[in-house]
Amino acid sequence: MYEFVRGPLVWLAFIVLIGGSLIKLIYMYRLADKEKSVFPTMSAKYGFRSLIRWAIPFGTRNERLHPYMTVISFVFHACLLLTPLFVMGHAVLWQESWGVSWWSLPPAVADGMTLTVIVCFFFLFLRRLTSPEVRNVNKPKDYLLSLLVVAPFVTGFIAHKQWLPAEPMLVAHIVTGVLWLIAIPFTWLAHMLWF
């Protein structure tokens, strides 16, 4: 089972992620083209300025009004993206599978970043449950998708620490990661494409 999820299933996930993302971007381009007010009002200068403001903590007024939420959100997203890219286990798999190698995080740093994702997730999930302005726009599928986002981190951490049998936890880690990658183009996780 491990070899199947590590090989063909991961390939399928990347194919769906890339293909689905391209389709989503083409769809959004066509939708914007159909709405005649979008492209004439676009400006590279102001678009780049907006991108920079959103990429820098406290760059927007809303972020300055909610400092705790800003810090938690930025830390969460940074660790969410960087940890899977630079965790040693993933770097080793890239090296074994494709001969591509790159720098990896020291295990203690990767563990800290993984725990940071999990702790920030619980804060954001609690906010999703209790804050009226967030709760009112969420559906049950949004809660499930949120759990899917954190699942690869929880299962990967448990597998790394060997708290449960290794192979089932690795399979769970890979399957939840695959589901996460497949969900990106078709759910609100696509906000990473819009950035």
Side-chain angles (χ1 to χ4, degrees):
M1 182 68 144
Y2 172 75
E3 290 302 321
F4 170 73
V5 298
R6 180 185 167 225
L9 197 60
V10 170
W11 274 104
L12 175 68
F14 279 109
I15 290 167
V16 172
L17 170 67
I18 294 166
S21 297
L22 288 172
I23 290 168
K24 185 80 163 189
L25 290 170
I26 291 167
Y27 170 76
M28 292 306 288
Y29 176 83
R30 288 183 177 167
L31 192 63
D33 192 36
K34 198 181 292 185
E35 182 65 45
K36 297 300 180 197
S37 64
V38 174
F39 288 126
T41 60
M42 287 184 73
S43 162
K45 173 186 169 185
Y46 293 114
F48 185 71
R49 186 173 79 177
S50 178
L51 183 68
I52 295 299
R53 285 194 176 160
W54 278 100
I56 297 172
F58 305 105
T60 67
R61 182 176 184 275
N62 191 49
E63 290 170 349
R64 290 188 294 275
L65 291 173
H66 303 96
Y68 297 115
M69 184 63 201
T70 298
V71 170
I72 290 168
S73 179
F74 270 87
V75 168
F76 173 75
H77 284 91
C79 290
L80 186 76
L81 293 173
L82 295 175
T83 307
L85 290 175
F86 296 107
V87 72
M88 187 180 301
H90 293 181
V92 168
L93 288 173
W94 278 90
Q95 174 68 35
E96 286 177 359
S97 300
W98 296 293
V100 176
S101 64
W102 61 71
W103 175 83
S104 62
L105 295 165
V109 173
D111 287 350
M113 290 174 71
T114 299
L115 291 173
T116 298
V117 167
I118 294 168
V119 169
C120 289
F121 165 80
F122 280 113
F123 173 83
L124 295 169
F125 196 77
L126 184 63
R127 178 177 174 264
R128 190 179 286 269
L129 291 171
T130 60
S131 176
E133 64 268 11
V134 180
R135 186 181 64 237
N136 292 337
V137 296
N138 279 278
K139 297 178 173 72
K141 68 179 181 177
D142 296 319
Y143 295 104
L144 290 173
L145 192 57
S146 295
L147 291 170
L148 178 61
V149 167
V150 78
F153 290 88
V154 173
T155 55
F157 191 74
I158 292 170
H160 170 67
K161 294 297 182 183
Q162 298 180 352
W163 291 339
L164 294 172
E167 188 167 321
M169 286 313 301
L170 282 173
V171 168
H173 172 65
I174 296 168
V175 168
T176 56
V178 161
L179 291 172
W180 186 38
L181 292 173
I182 288 172
I184 288 171
F186 308 108
T187 65
W188 52 257
L189 294 175
H191 72 273
M192 65 191 299
L193 301 174
W194 310 144
F195 179 79

